[in-house]
Amino acid sequence: MAQQPEGRAAIMKELIAALQEFTVESDVFVDVFARAHGLGRSDMNAIMWISSGAAAGRPVTAGELAARLGLGAPATTALVDRLETAGHVRRTRDPGDRRRVTITMEPRALTLARDYFVPLGSLMSDAVADASDSDLSRAAAVVRQLISAITAARLSS
């Protein structure tokens, strides 16, 4: 890594500390929901990836889910079985390729999650109401770049 000017190093240290605190606070928030519904952390992470895929119009396969969660096939199968048994997800055959099985959220699970997480989204929007659209767009880009660094570090370890 190139030598950073002292001011930039201090800013990066502050940014990383803020993101670490954000991560811990959001983890605690998510864990409260997870415990209330008998879910583990991997379950919640899976639900996030499954619902994000659905929202983007691209359902997730078990293989994609395994890669995103860093799990092997047997652990992913057990996780999806657990979520399916609990009524949170279902396996669906792709109409275009019957060999391909995707995982989709059950409507009841989506409603449950929406009722818990949408108020957080409103509070977060209120917290940055004075930030310009440009500032928010740039902040999102910076966070995505940092996520890419974390993903690269995870994949190389």
Side-chain angles (χ1 to χ4, degrees), residues 29-105:
F29 184 81
V30 169
D31 284 344
V32 168
F33 178 84
R35 283 191 308 269
H37 299 285
L39 300 168
R41 188 65 205 183
S42 289
D43 299 337
M44 288 301 298
N45 290 342
I47 286 171
M48 191 279 299
W49 287 119
I50 295 164
S51 61
S52 294
R58 206 179 84 54
V60 176
T61 66
E64 292 166 335
L65 190 58
R68 290 195 177 266
L69 297 173
L71 297 174
T76 303
T77 298
L79 183 148
V80 174
D81 287 347
R82 202 169 47 248
L83 292 175
E84 193 170 38
T85 299
H88 297 296
V89 303
R90 73 178 173 279
R91 290 176 173 96
T92 307
R93 293 225 177 259
D94 186 324
D97 180 353
R98 300 284 298 155
R99 296 168 299 172
R100 179 178 147 100
V101 176
T102 58
I103 305 159
T104 57
M105 295 293 296

Side-chain angles (χ1 to χ4, degrees), residues 18-29:
L19 288 171
Q20 288 170 334
E21 187 175 343
F22 177 87
T23 300
V24 170
E25 287 294 340
S26 63
D27 280 351
V28 170
F29 184 81

